[in-house]
């Protein structure tokens, strides 16, 4: 999959999620195109090396989904966060 245009980034980088520059570049986005997208406001950098689409804020749930998409192995939320989510879902 080549991410040569911003419309292709939209499918690969949903609102409220993040991606690393490295991950986007590995899928065909050039460094120059990413820099231009940042300068024009089509992408934002919530942290160094991370990119997101402007609009919805990035939440921890969005980060977990993003990690699951970028990592070769599944990502699971564990510990107190998972228990709190489970408890709120059943009440």
């Amino acid at each position: 999959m080549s991410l040569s245009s911003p419309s292709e980034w939209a499918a690969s980088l949903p609102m409220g999620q993040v991606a690393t520059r490295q991950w986007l570049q590995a899928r065909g986005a050039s460094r120059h195109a990413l820099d231009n997208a940042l300068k024009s406001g089509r992408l934002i950098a919530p942290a160094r090396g991370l990119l997101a689409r402007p609009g919805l804020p990035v939440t921890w749930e969005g980060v977990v989904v993003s990690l699951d998409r970028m990592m070769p192995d599944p990502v699971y939320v564990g510990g107190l966060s998972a228990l709190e989510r489970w408890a709120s879902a059943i009440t």
Side-chain angles (χ1 to χ4, degrees):
M1 175 184 205
S2 176
L3 303 176
S4 57
S5 72
S7 62
E8 293 168 341
W9 299 339
S12 185
L13 185 55
M15 297 291 279
Q17 296 184 20
V18 295
T20 64
R21 278 182 164 269
Q22 182 181 11
W23 188 82
L24 289 168
Q25 288 176 321
R27 276 142 192 83
S30 71
R31 181 178 178 180
H32 178 73
L34 293 174
D35 288 340
N36 284 343
L38 280 167
K39 289 177 187 173
S40 70
R42 289 179 298 185
L43 291 177
I44 59 170
R48 184 182 171 121
L50 284 181
L51 300 174
R53 292 171 56 198
L56 293 176
V58 177
T59 63
W60 71 266
E61 293 96 339
V63 172
V64 171
V65 171
S66 300
L67 285 171
D68 193 45
R69 184 186 66 240
M70 291 186 290
M71 301 297 288
D73 295 320
V75 174
Y76 301 101
V77 176
L80 292 177
S81 297
L83 292 174
E84 288 171 3
R85 299 285 294 179
W86 176 75
S88 66
I90 62 170
T91 57

